[in-house]
Amino acid sequence: MRLAPATGRTYSHMTMQRLSNLDRTFRALADGTRRSMIHVLARGEARSAGELGRQFRSAQPTISNHLKVLEQAGLVERTIEGRIHRFRLRQKPLKEAGSWIIRHQAFWNGAVDQLDRLLPEIAGNDRG
């Protein structure tokens, strides 16, 4: 059986549907351009796709793809005014990702502290 080659667009769409909200957030944040777009939108003003494209000196399809990923992750919301699509940052997914990082950071800090206490004990047993 031969399968038709999958397009990046189909794969990306199928992947995004299967991911959890947190996975979508981290996937969206994995790209430097998207992080920069979030930084710009964090100033509070809604921006059009055209304004973002000019600011990042990127072609409209490239900016649209980045905005689509951010929108699917729930990081931006779109409003439409005639033919102009404006995007505004949503805080909730970023706060959820931050909370997840803080929880796991506390776990790893505790694990490192336990290891720091255990290593001298192990070294003492090796000598005796």
Side-chain angles (χ1 to χ4, degrees):
M1 178 169 98
R2 220 172 132 182
L3 297 175
T7 65
R9 185 176 188 172
T10 302
Y11 172 77
S12 177
H13 178 70
M14 289 170 45
T15 301
M16 289 300 283
Q17 285 181 337
R18 291 188 199 130
L19 298 175
S20 74
N21 291 341
L22 191 59
D23 291 334
R24 283 188 201 94
T25 298
F26 283 120
R27 180 181 180 275
L29 294 174
D31 182 85
T33 300
R34 290 193 289 266
R35 287 191 307 273
S36 295
M37 292 170 85
I38 286 172
H39 180 73
V40 167
L41 293 171
R43 295 181 187 138
E45 286 183 39
R47 301 285 179 105
S48 71
E51 290 170 327
L52 290 167
R54 284 188 296 279
Q55 183 159 358
F56 291 99
R57 294 187 179 105
S58 294
Q60 187 274 329
T62 301
I63 292 298
S64 291
N65 285 335
H66 284 305
L67 288 168
K68 183 177 180 179
V69 171
L70 291 170
E71 191 173 22
Q72 288 173 336
L75 290 165
V76 297
E77 63 185 4
R78 177 192 310 240
T79 57
I80 302 172
E81 301 166 6
R83 292 179 27 179
I84 298 175
H85 294 229
R86 295 201 179 277
F87 297 86
R88 181 178 303 281
L89 184 64
R90 293 186 64 238
Q91 298 287 326
K92 185 178 177 187
L94 291 172
K95 288 179 181 178
E96 290 170 352
S99 295
W100 185 91
I101 289 169
I102 289 168
R103 272 194 317 276
H104 287 80
Q105 182 179 15
F107 167 78
W108 283 110
N109 288 342
V112 169
D113 291 344
Q114 286 179 334
L115 187 58
D116 283 344
R117 288 189 300 272
L118 184 60
L119 286 176
E121 185 180 314
I122 292 171
N125 288 342
D126 286 345
R127 291 185 199 141

